[in-house]
């Protein structure tokens, strides 16, 4: 299994530009989570999906952030317009929601730098 | 809302010394998980504890779940340079945790090991 796949791995953009982060969960997993990690705030949950449906987006910091999951094998997190304070590592994680384990499988992350 | 606190925030040890990190939840947890994140890497699941007072071992790592299911610890015996990284505890977060595996992560303990 390839694990959770994220792209791009690194993104450098200028303030005001649109940024789209991509995630492919592990095949068969039906829950998907987007996290943001910074030194100051640690690992924050932004939004999560179950069976492609957004369940809780209360962690999304502002309306500039949006996320979609058009099918079971693809999700995007979009920031428009981006700001320097959005600089962070963004992780996608997935899990199979029907077993007793709460284990989440994290992707390698996208390191976003907004200048 | 639910809070998961970890101490210490940082720990520097000499190779061969022991290391312990502690995790405390503001609410009773149905289970607790531990993750390790190597520098520049992503969180990787280590273990899940479910039962009150449960103790599990993985080679030099010993995990404990408190009797009240509100605290946990991770102890590493005779640290090695390969143990370097950030150790996170995480617990199910409210109804979302029960239904979808949503987790609240502690802030993590950053472990450095001097050879």
């Amino acid at each position: 299994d390839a694990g959770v796949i994220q792209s791009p791995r690194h993104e450098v953009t200028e303030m005001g530009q649109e940024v789209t982060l991509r995630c492919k969960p592990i095949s068969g997993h039906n829950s998907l989570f987007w996290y943001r990690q910074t030194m100051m705030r640690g690992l924050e949950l932004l939004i999560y999906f179950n069976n492609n449906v957004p369940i809780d987006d209360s962690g999304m910091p502002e309306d500039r952030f949006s996320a979609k999951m058009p099918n079971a094998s693809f999700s995007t997190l979009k920031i428009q317009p981006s700001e320097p304070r959005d600089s962070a590592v963004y992780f996608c994680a997935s899990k199979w929601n029907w077993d007793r384990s709460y284990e989440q499988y994290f992707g390698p992350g996208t390191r976003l730098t907004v200048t | 809302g639910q809070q998961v606190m970890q101490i210490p925030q940082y720990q520097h040890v000499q190779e061969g010394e022991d290391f312990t990190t502690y995790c405390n939840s503001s609410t009773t947890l149905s289970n607790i998980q531990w993750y390790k994140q190597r520098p520049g890497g992503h969180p990787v699941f280590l273990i899940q504890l479910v039962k009150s007072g449960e103790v599990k071992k993985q080679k030099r790592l010993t995990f404990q779940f408190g009797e009240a299911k509100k605290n946990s610890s991770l102890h590493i015996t005779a640290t090695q340079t390969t143990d370097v990284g950030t150790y996170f505890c995480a617990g199910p977060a409210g109804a979302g945790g029960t239904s979808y595996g949503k987790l609240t992560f502690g802030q993590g303990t950053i472990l450095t090991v001097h050879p």
Side-chain angles (χ1 to χ4, degrees):
Chain A
D1 197 325
V4 176
I5 299 172
Q6 290 188 248
S7 65
R9 295 292 307 276
H10 302 273
E11 177 80 32
V12 180
T13 190
E14 292 183 348
M15 182 174 63
Q17 297 297 306
E18 177 180 298
V19 175
T20 299
L21 311 181
R22 297 172 176 80
C23 175
K24 177 179 169 56
I26 291 173
S27 178
H29 283 188
N30 60 344
S31 284
L32 183 139
F33 305 82
W34 280 101
Y35 292 90
R36 177 173 69 176
Q37 186 176 41
T38 60
M39 285 298 295
M40 290 296 294
R41 300 175 68 88
L43 199 58
E44 303 174 274
L45 177 65
L46 300 177
I47 184 172
Y48 66 98
F49 297 82
N50 186 68
N51 293 329
N52 313 335
V53 176
I55 302 300
D56 183 354
D57 66 354
S58 60
M60 297 284 258
E62 301 170 32
D63 291 344
R64 298 184 296 107
F65 286 69
S66 62
K68 295 182 179 180
M69 192 164 187
N71 56 63
S73 59
F74 184 66
S75 178
T76 59
L77 178 68
K78 184 178 293 187
I79 308 173
Q80 166 65 18
S82 58
E83 297 182 2
R85 58 186 167 139
D86 302 329
S87 297
V89 180
Y90 291 81
F91 289 105
C92 171
S94 69
K95 74 179 293 291
W96 173 237
N97 199 34
W98 297 108
D99 65 19
R100 294 189 173 191
S101 171
Y102 281 72
E103 177 180 358
Q104 294 186 11
Y105 295 78
F106 282 76
T110 296
R111 182 172 295 276
L112 173 65
T113 303
V114 183
T115 60
Chain B
Q2 178 194 53
Q3 291 187 345
V4 177
M5 307 297 291
Q6 267 186 268
I7 56 170
Q9 188 175 1
Y10 302 94
Q11 185 75 59
H12 310 285
V13 299
Q14 287 291 131
E15 190 173 20
E17 291 181 339
D18 292 356
F19 159 75
T20 304
T21 175
Y22 300 91
C23 179
N24 288 283
S25 171
S26 59
T27 59
T28 302
L29 300 171
S30 60
N31 67 82
I32 195 159
Q33 302 186 17
W34 286 90
Y35 290 77
K36 177 183 179 181
Q37 183 177 20
R38 295 181 185 275
H42 58 277
V44 175
F45 175 83
L46 293 176
I47 207 162
Q48 177 174 296
L49 305 172
V50 178
K51 300 177 182 178
S52 170
E54 187 170 15
V55 178
K56 287 189 176 181
K57 292 189 176 183
Q58 290 180 350
K59 298 183 180 179
R60 295 177 295 102
L61 277 62
T62 301
F63 303 85
Q64 290 189 318
F65 200 11
E67 294 290 340
K69 302 184 77 173
K70 295 183 70 175
N71 61 286
S72 181
S73 65
L74 158 60
H75 179 82
I76 302 177
T77 303
T79 55
Q80 301 175 358
T81 55
T82 53
D83 296 324
V84 164
T86 303
Y87 292 86
F88 294 95
C89 62
T98 303
S99 301
Y100 305 109
K102 175 184 176 183
L103 295 173
T104 297
F105 281 82
Q107 309 97 304
T109 295
I110 300 172
L111 172 65
T112 56
V113 180
H114 301 287

